[in-house]
Amino acid sequence: MHDARMASWMPMSRYVNPVRLVAGTVILAAMLVPAYFFVIHDEAEPGIEHADLLDTAASGPVGLDVGEYAPDFEISTPEGERVRLSDLRGRPAVVNFWATWCGSCLTEMPELKALQEDRGVDNVSILAINAGETRAQADEFIDFLDAPFVFALDPGLVVSDAYGVYGLPLSVFLDSEGVVRGVYRGHAQPEILQTLVKAAFDAAPHGELPVVLRTVSHIPRDRVLTVSDDEDGLRFEGRSLRCDVSYCAREVAGDALRGVAGVREVMFSDAGGTDRALVVHLEAGADRARVIDGVKRALESVSDPVYDQPIVVMDR
């Protein structure tokens, strides 16, 4: 913890609690600045692959409700290694989504660290997933926190989208079989963490949680739909075409897309990276601009749990 990257975190550590100082600074900045420009780092970094959603080995329903098996995925650590959520089965686990710009996250992380130390590092796993930032941005706080978590990077928000992470922090509490025993949005106070972790250890529903004011930092997302000409029509790419446990365009928007004037056939496929692709075959004489507008309207007509702003069309 004494390398050059940590220099900015260390000078006042003898006089104040540095984690609370950082958290307070970020919260104050969020209150004073009316808008925060946030860029999802969708370009792959060297040695950091985008996360992949996997088929989940389960003897029951898969989803994010209490009692369901948490959707499996594979994600990169800051060191470039790959880890699967299912690798953590065998003991309770907490999946925590966070970012360095999220003041509540920075306050909550030391409390998660203390909880893991209290329960025993070998008895409970904490998978801390950084949502939307680069390795360099995440690493500074990871090094400073010095926690025995399994850290992972989700620069393209693949797992964050699948888990319906609209705002940060968000924690999912799993029992030793990978079954969801609690989901908490916002900063969980220590007593709430204890209650939810106990439910994970007991593999049972948690007790009633106290009503508290929660601070949740919304993740701004760009809802971009790119369009290009295809051999037989048009090709669309974007996160609004994804298919995961929380949202599947093929299922919720398929009929609306097939009903667009001028569309003869629609086909969904992987686009590479974090996007999904939609290939639209056109009827003879179809108006290209009207088809594009129709596809945009069809996607906006269905509810997306994390992308709720109007779609921006980029026509290549």
Side-chain angles (χ1 to χ4, degrees):
M1 292 200 4
H2 298 288
D3 55 49
R5 290 179 298 174
M6 296 309 302
S8 62
W9 293 87
M10 299 303 293
M12 296 186 67
S13 61
R14 291 180 300 171
Y15 309 106
V16 297
N17 184 315
V19 174
R20 295 192 180 277
L21 174 65
V22 172
T25 301
V26 176
I27 293 172
L28 179 61
M31 294 172 61
L32 295 177
V33 180
Y36 179 84
F37 184 72
F38 175 69
V39 178
I40 297 173
H41 295 276
D42 202 21
E43 296 297 325
E45 292 186 71
I48 303 296
E49 300 177 47
H50 279 301
D52 291 317
L53 305 179
L54 307 174
D55 292 333
T56 304
S59 58
V62 176
L64 295 169
D65 291 331
V66 172
E68 296 181 328
Y69 283 84
D72 201 6
F73 55 84
E74 186 176 72
I75 195 167
S76 292
T77 68
E79 295 75 31
E81 299 176 354
R82 300 288 279 179
V83 60
R84 295 187 176 195
L85 178 64
S86 53
D87 293 340
L88 304 183
R89 290 187 182 182
R91 57 183 173 182
V94 181
V95 182
N96 175 260
F97 294 87
W98 67 284
T100 61
W101 52 265
C102 163
S104 297
C105 302
L106 303 188
T107 304
E108 183 182 60
M109 295 281 268
E111 295 167 354
L112 282 168
K113 179 182 178 182
L115 175 120
Q116 188 182 38
E117 291 172 347
D118 179 60
R119 283 283 184 170
V121 173
D122 295 331
N123 296 325
V124 58
S125 299
I126 295 182
L127 175 58
I129 300 177
N130 179 273
E133 295 184 293
T134 65
R135 172 168 45 189
Q137 289 171 320
D139 265 352
E140 188 172 15
F141 187 72
I142 289 173
D143 288 351
F144 169 72
L145 184 64
D146 192 27
F149 299 168
V150 178
F151 286 98
L153 304 175
D154 189 23
L157 300 181
V158 175
V159 178
S160 303
D161 285 355
Y163 272 62
V165 184
Y166 185 81
L168 299 172
L170 183 143
S171 297
V172 183
F173 299 81
L174 310 177
D175 66 21
S176 60
E177 298 298 318
V179 175
V180 177
R181 295 301 173 183
V183 177
Y184 197 85
R185 293 170 173 81
H187 175 196
Q189 301 294 333
E191 60 272 20
I192 293 176
L193 288 176
Q194 290 288 355
T195 298
L196 292 169
V197 166
K198 183 179 186 302
F201 271 87
D202 295 343
H206 60 76
E208 185 175 351
L209 299 176
V211 177
V212 297
L213 179 65
R214 307 187 196 183
T215 303
V216 178
S217 300
H218 167 56
I219 304 176
R221 287 169 162 91
D222 292 327
R223 196 179 183 189
V224 176
L225 187 67
T226 61
V227 188
S228 58
D229 291 310
D230 193 70
E231 182 178 350
D232 226 0
L234 297 172
R235 179 182 177 87
F236 298 83
E237 297 180 12
R239 297 295 292 152
S240 291
L241 297 170
R242 71 192 188 283
C243 187
D244 53 46
V245 70
S246 68
Y247 169 91
C248 184
R250 181 175 61 249
E251 296 176 2
V252 300
D255 290 342
L257 290 167
R258 282 184 284 271
V260 172
V263 171
R264 175 168 54 87
E265 182 182 19
V266 297
M267 296 188 303
F268 288 87
S269 65
D270 290 318
T274 61
D275 285 351
R276 299 283 288 185
L278 168 70
V279 176
V280 174
H281 293 167
L282 306 180
E283 296 175 348
D287 186 293
R288 184 179 186 277
R290 288 187 177 181
V291 170
I292 293 174
D293 185 64
V295 169
K296 173 181 178 291
R297 291 176 182 271
L299 292 172
E300 289 178 337
S301 71
V302 297
S303 178
D304 187 320
V306 291
Y307 291 85
D308 58 357
Q309 64 272 51
I311 291 175
V312 176
V313 175
M314 295 183 62
D315 194 343
R316 297 174 179 172

